[in-house]
Amino acid sequence: MTFRPLLCIRIDEETDLRIYEERHAKEVAELVDQNRAYLRQWLPWVDNSRTVEDSRAFIRNSLQQFAQNEGFQAGIWHKNKLAGAIGYHQLGWIDRKVEIGYWLSESLQGKGVMTKACRTLITYAFTELGLNKVEIHCATENLRSCAIPKRLGFTQEGILREAQWLYDHYVDVVIYGLLAREWQG
Amino acid sequence: MTFRPLLCIRIDEETDLRIYEERHAKEVAELVDQNRAYLRQWLPWVDNSRTVEDSRAFIRNSLQQFAQNEGFQAGIWHKNKLAGAIGYHQLGWIDRKVEIGYWLSESLQGKGVMTKACRTLITYAFTELGLNKVEIHCATENLRSCAIPKRLGFTQEGILREAQWLYDHYVDVVIYGLLAREWQG
Amino acid sequence: MTFRPLLCIRIDEETDLRIYEERHAKEVAELVDQNRAYLRQWLPWVDNSRTVEDSRAFIRNSLQQFAQNEGFQAGIWHKNKLAGAIGYHQLGWIDRKVEIGYWLSESLQGKGVMTKACRTLITYAFTELGLNKVEIHCATENLRSCAIPKRLGFTQEGILREAQWLYDHYVDVVIYGLLAREWQG
Amino acid sequence: MTFRPLLCIRIDEETDLRIYEERHAKEVAELVDQNRAYLRQWLPWVDNSRTVEDSRAFIRNSLQQFAQNEGFQAGIWHKNKLAGAIGYHQLGWIDRKVEIGYWLSESLQGKGVMTKACRTLITYAFTELGLNKVEIHCATENLRSCAIPKRLGFTQEGILREAQWLYDHYVDVVIYGLLAREWQG
Amino acid sequence: MTFRPLLCIRIDEETDLRIYEERHAKEVAELVDQNRAYLRQWLPWVDNSRTVEDSRAFIRNSLQQFAQNEGFQAGIWHKNKLAGAIGYHQLGWIDRKVEIGYWLSESLQGKGVMTKACRTLITYAFTELGLNKVEIHCATENLRSCAIPKRLGFTQEGILREAQWLYDHYVDVVIYGLLAREWQG
Amino acid sequence: MTFRPLLCIRIDEETDLRIYEERHAKEVAELVDQNRAYLRQWLPWVDNSRTVEDSRAFIRNSLQQFAQNEGFQAGIWHKNKLAGAIGYHQLGWIDRKVEIGYWLSESLQGKGVMTKACRTLITYAFTELGLNKVEIHCATENLRSCAIPKRLGFTQEGILREAQWLYDHYVDVVIYGLLAREWQG
């Protein structure tokens, strides 16, 4: 990995996180497009993300989120190619709580990339942002996604019935929670 | 109850719901003030609601919410006096889901007023808005508040640990859920 | 009339007013379309209201008006079908004055529906909003429309020459005024 | 009159109109202050215009009006000193109609300054803006103000009862109208 | 020149400046279109100005600039026909400095029109706005444009290499500056 | 340097750049305060930056700049203490040009910190943003600041007379320019 962008968070020798910027819009759109059927299984926004302009709009929103001190969205770059995304959602400064969401291209699955990326954003949430709790929400049947909070020591706190609409059916959503004092880093 | 406002939802002979409007700001502020210590036990916004201007700002926001098709906030009026409030939060049209929140002055407790008010907003959510799920979130130790979803047939779906900061400590929050097909009206 | 919406103002056994909400857009557009030639005789906005999206935009604006404490627009529903509209315009809190505007589908004419609806909004203006004056403006040759303020005891206060452009010609506009102290209810 | 600003409308040798700009705020505030009791007799905004900042805010709004193609507000300058103001209100492009409003310092009364200023804005409305009608609204008892539209050939079109609140009482308002084809220039 | 608009700055018997207003959009678009190839040599915005709507958008922006007290853009009218434009850019109230930009239709070149127009805006900047410095920026090879600040006594203060992109190549930009105390009027 | 924030650009073993975020506001305000007299010699904004709230407002603006794809402002952190700032200004995507501005606390002067920080932002501008030119503007008499572009191979392109107002006097500003093809890294 000879090129390393100046502003990034290194995950491992081959992988880094880069805050979403407009200049990434084309790569985001292409990756979504290549993984469309795969991502559509569990992510509700895939059908509304069809063009580079859609990706740019999402990125602009996520930069507004960062500008308003409500966390950020980052691309996951593996060997200098975009491979997925991870970010903060619903950051609440009063309750000192945030949710982490993520997705990864099919071809990168099974290498532990997302677990490392989550670990980084959890540490950032507790150490730099000073939060008290991180949550991860997954569809109950999305086993791959559920495996991550389990592996990282989260507690299952509830299953919200029919909490999310996925194009043509509802899915139940499991909430995993991790408190700052429980985090081993 | 001789006077009955033109735009309201009747709950029972003595009680109705009125969408919050600016002209109610003074009465909202006074009621919060009279019940300050009582409400502060479980509601995180009480310390930030001190003046009529604070109430007016809240009302303006809630009217924006209504204007943006995201539900509404209403005052609960008993014998033509403001007695509490109830409203929709986090209305999601894609997931067809909404949360109901409420508070009632101490003096009106125990008369079943809030159960009726909830019943009305649940019916409205399922019948007029066509939603699929209503949630109610309460601090686990707020027994009075928890009693309402239990009485109305909600299912307990989870307990989110330390999910809310109440001035000087965290409280766990229990999530109750009710699906449209479960509602008896 | 078995179904009665929760949030409405009852006019008579068969008729009620419902504050315009986005979910009414389709019915508004259809009714305008069915009465296009009829309404176009006296209303200047008909040619610009062609699609459901146009109706939705109008409704959004009218909800902003409500959110800004400047009155509201309501649909007139007869036997649970939209039949027309009525609303406040130019509400001035300093001068405590408002204008009422309205239109009704051709098939409902002659039943006194609009007179009742006006009566309701006049009472609301004087009793709940505390205004001092209600005005109604009609094209001088729109006899049906002029009949309503006459019937309700308004005073003719002037005729503004060529005050309104109706697609291809100007019409004179008569102003009717009613003071709070003149209202019999 | 040796100094003549570059951007102005000349009324006569000693008088010109200058579109309100922020740099005039101090002079506007001072003139209002010197004529406070005099202006307060007929103008409802005087009590809310107390500081240079108030005048600046009004000027900013009037520049927004100009930027949105809805007419302008101008200062009346006599011998290079601000003496009053005149401007367009309620410009309607569809109805091709506008209202002209004005006020003049007490010391300049009786010299025909305002009649000339009105003449200029009427000509501008008909010739450059292509409007069809100009209205002037005055309190019925404001004889000095009413004299101007009469002198300029306007027709009295109505008297709106209690149409304006002046601090502690209502006044009736007379509407004068002039059509483009009636204007002699 | 029988018609003279009421609000304009006279340059000479045949020429005046008129603050850009929306009603000029058609004439601006036509003039740009007629001079497209000519203007495109030195102006970077020509390819993005194709329709009346583009001109209207530019004019709206320039009126916002005026409303925000940051100078104005004006059309140059010769014998009552639009012939070009001139305006202020980058007005800085703290540094009391402004840049003047301009363009003229090919057919009007060589008559001294632009030199007179610049003279007017320079005088306005120093006399009415009280600025300390006026700058003019031109591509080094745009000899016709460079001739104007030279003729008016500006000092060449620098040449910024490759400072502007003109569709397919960079041009160097020369900065001319004139201080208030150097201006002869 | 044991603590290293996750999102930063490393300059050397002891120094890194961190994009300004709201949580840095207190440290920014304190550093400006400690260096007030020193910074005031050459920076025009110092008198307007007095409170933590002022710093927060500046940071919010700079995050908006980042969100709008117009570059960013970063703190310079030395041994985990804030020591200064550096950022992009006037980023022009069409001309592919940007200006770099910076300031450093007095105590860190003379260690080459700012030269390294500039080197980083220049590389970022050419390599990641794909720009064609970087400019640095300094007051001619600010020798310390001028030394940096000279040391980094910039070309002096002009001296703008009285281009900046510094509280009570004007200063001349020298413009240094560097083209992408001239950069040695």
Side-chain angles (χ1 to χ4, degrees), chain B residues 42-105:
Chain B
W42 300 114
L43 298 176
W45 50 263
V46 177
D47 282 10
N48 288 323
S49 181
R50 298 221 157 259
T51 64
V52 174
E53 210 37 67
D54 291 337
S55 295
R56 197 189 317 278
F58 177 80
I59 289 170
R60 279 177 182 273
N61 278 344
S62 75
L63 285 166
Q64 278 302 327
Q65 176 197 6
F66 184 57
Q68 284 155 20
N69 198 23
E70 296 171 351
F72 60 80
Q73 306 299 314
I76 301 172
W77 295 74
H78 186 75
K79 299 186 180 172
N80 277 316
K81 291 186 62 176
L82 187 72
I86 186 166
Y88 294 114
H89 301 274
Q90 308 282 350
L91 195 159
W93 284 109
I94 291 173
D95 299 326
R96 306 199 83 74
K97 198 177 59 171
V98 79
E99 191 186 324
I100 292 176
Y102 45 77
W103 59 270
L104 194 65
S105 82

Side-chain angles (χ1 to χ4, degrees), chain B residues 51-163:
Chain B
T51 64
V52 174
E53 210 37 67
D54 291 337
S55 295
R56 197 189 317 278
F58 177 80
I59 289 170
R60 279 177 182 273
N61 278 344
S62 75
L63 285 166
Q64 278 302 327
Q65 176 197 6
F66 184 57
Q68 284 155 20
N69 198 23
E70 296 171 351
F72 60 80
Q73 306 299 314
I76 301 172
W77 295 74
H78 186 75
K79 299 186 180 172
N80 277 316
K81 291 186 62 176
L82 187 72
I86 186 166
Y88 294 114
H89 301 274
Q90 308 282 350
L91 195 159
W93 284 109
I94 291 173
D95 299 326
R96 306 199 83 74
K97 198 177 59 171
V98 79
E99 191 186 324
I100 292 176
Y102 45 77
W103 59 270
L104 194 65
S105 82
E106 193 167 9
S107 59
L108 262 283
Q109 297 290 344
K111 301 182 190 298
V113 168
M114 192 53 86
T115 304
K116 286 184 201 162
C118 276
R119 209 183 289 276
T120 301
L121 255 61
I122 293 164
T123 294
Y124 188 93
F126 290 142
T127 309
E128 299 205 33
L129 300 180
L131 300 183
N132 177 60
K133 187 179 183 187
V134 169
E135 287 184 5
I136 291 176
H137 298 197
C138 316
T140 48
E141 299 177 32
N142 185 355
L143 302 183
R144 218 191 267 275
S145 190
C146 291
I148 290 170
K150 285 185 189 166
R151 192 176 304 134
L152 292 168
F154 282 63
T155 300
Q156 178 176 326
E157 300 186 339
I159 293 179
L160 307 188
R161 300 174 303 148
E162 304 192 8

Side-chain angles (χ1 to χ4, degrees), chain A residues 28-98:
Chain A
V28 172
E30 285 170 1
L31 188 64
V32 169
D33 220 46
Q34 288 157 18
N35 287 270
R36 187 166 297 281
Y38 177 71
L39 297 175
R40 209 179 169 284
Q41 292 177 282
W42 300 113
L43 299 176
W45 50 262
V46 177
D47 282 10
N48 287 325
S49 180
R50 297 223 158 260
T51 65
V52 175
E53 210 38 65
D54 291 338
S55 296
R56 199 190 315 279
F58 177 81
I59 289 170
R60 277 177 183 275
N61 278 343
S62 75
L63 285 165
Q64 279 301 327
Q65 175 198 6
F66 184 56
Q68 283 155 19
N69 198 24
E70 297 170 353
F72 59 80
Q73 306 298 314
I76 301 172
W77 296 73
H78 185 73
K79 297 186 181 173
N80 276 317
K81 293 186 60 176
L82 187 72
I86 187 167
Y88 294 114
H89 300 274
Q90 308 282 352
L91 195 159
W93 283 110
I94 291 172
D95 299 325
R96 308 200 81 75
K97 196 176 64 169
V98 79

Side-chain angles (χ1 to χ4, degrees), chain F:
Chain F
M1 191 182 192
T2 54
F3 172 81
R4 167 84 66 182
L6 285 161
L7 185 70
C8 71
I9 302 177
R10 186 177 294 207
I11 298 293
D12 63 25
E13 271 310 300
E14 297 182 317
T15 320
D16 53 53
L17 304 184
R18 306 177 194 171
I19 285 191
Y20 264 173
E21 296 182 55
E22 268 192 62
R23 55 191 164 115
H24 304 143
K26 189 155 164 288
E27 278 144 315
V28 172
E30 286 171 0
L31 188 64
V32 169
D33 220 46
Q34 288 157 17
N35 287 267
R36 188 166 296 281
Y38 177 71
L39 297 174
R40 210 179 168 284
Q41 291 177 282
W42 299 113
L43 299 176
W45 50 263
V46 177
D47 282 10
N48 288 324
S49 180
R50 298 222 158 261
T51 65
V52 174
E53 210 38 66
D54 292 336
S55 294
R56 198 188 317 277
F58 178 81
I59 289 170
R60 278 177 183 274
N61 277 344
S62 75
L63 285 165
Q64 279 301 327
Q65 175 196 8
F66 185 56
Q68 285 156 18
N69 198 23
E70 298 171 350
F72 59 79
Q73 306 298 314
I76 301 172
W77 296 73
H78 185 75
K79 297 187 181 172
N80 277 317
K81 293 186 57 176
L82 186 72
I86 186 165
Y88 294 114
H89 301 274
Q90 308 282 351
L91 195 159
W93 283 109
I94 292 172
D95 298 325
R96 306 201 83 75
K97 197 176 63 172
V98 79
E99 190 187 323
I100 292 176
Y102 45 78
W103 60 270
L104 195 65
S105 82
E106 192 167 11
S107 59
L108 260 284
Q109 298 288 345
K111 298 182 192 297
V113 167
M114 193 53 87
T115 303
K116 284 184 202 163
C118 276
R119 210 184 287 276
T120 301
L121 255 61
I122 294 165
T123 293
Y124 188 93
F126 291 142
T127 309
E128 300 205 32
L129 300 180
L131 301 183
N132 177 61
K133 188 178 182 189
V134 170
E135 286 183 5
I136 290 176
H137 297 197
C138 317
T140 48
E141 297 178 33
N142 185 354
L143 302 183
R144 218 191 268 275
S145 191
C146 291
I148 289 171
K150 286 183 189 169
R151 192 175 304 134
L152 291 167
F154 280 64
T155 300
Q156 178 178 324
E157 298 184 341
I159 292 179
L160 307 187
R161 299 174 304 148
E162 304 194 7
Q164 188 169 54
W165 178 254
L166 262 181
Y167 308 107
D168 53 8
H169 65 293
Y170 288 105
V171 292
D172 296 347
V173 169
V174 52
I175 298 183
Y176 295 97
L178 180 75
L179 302 175
R181 63 176 177 274
E182 299 168 345
W183 182 232
Q184 316 286 346

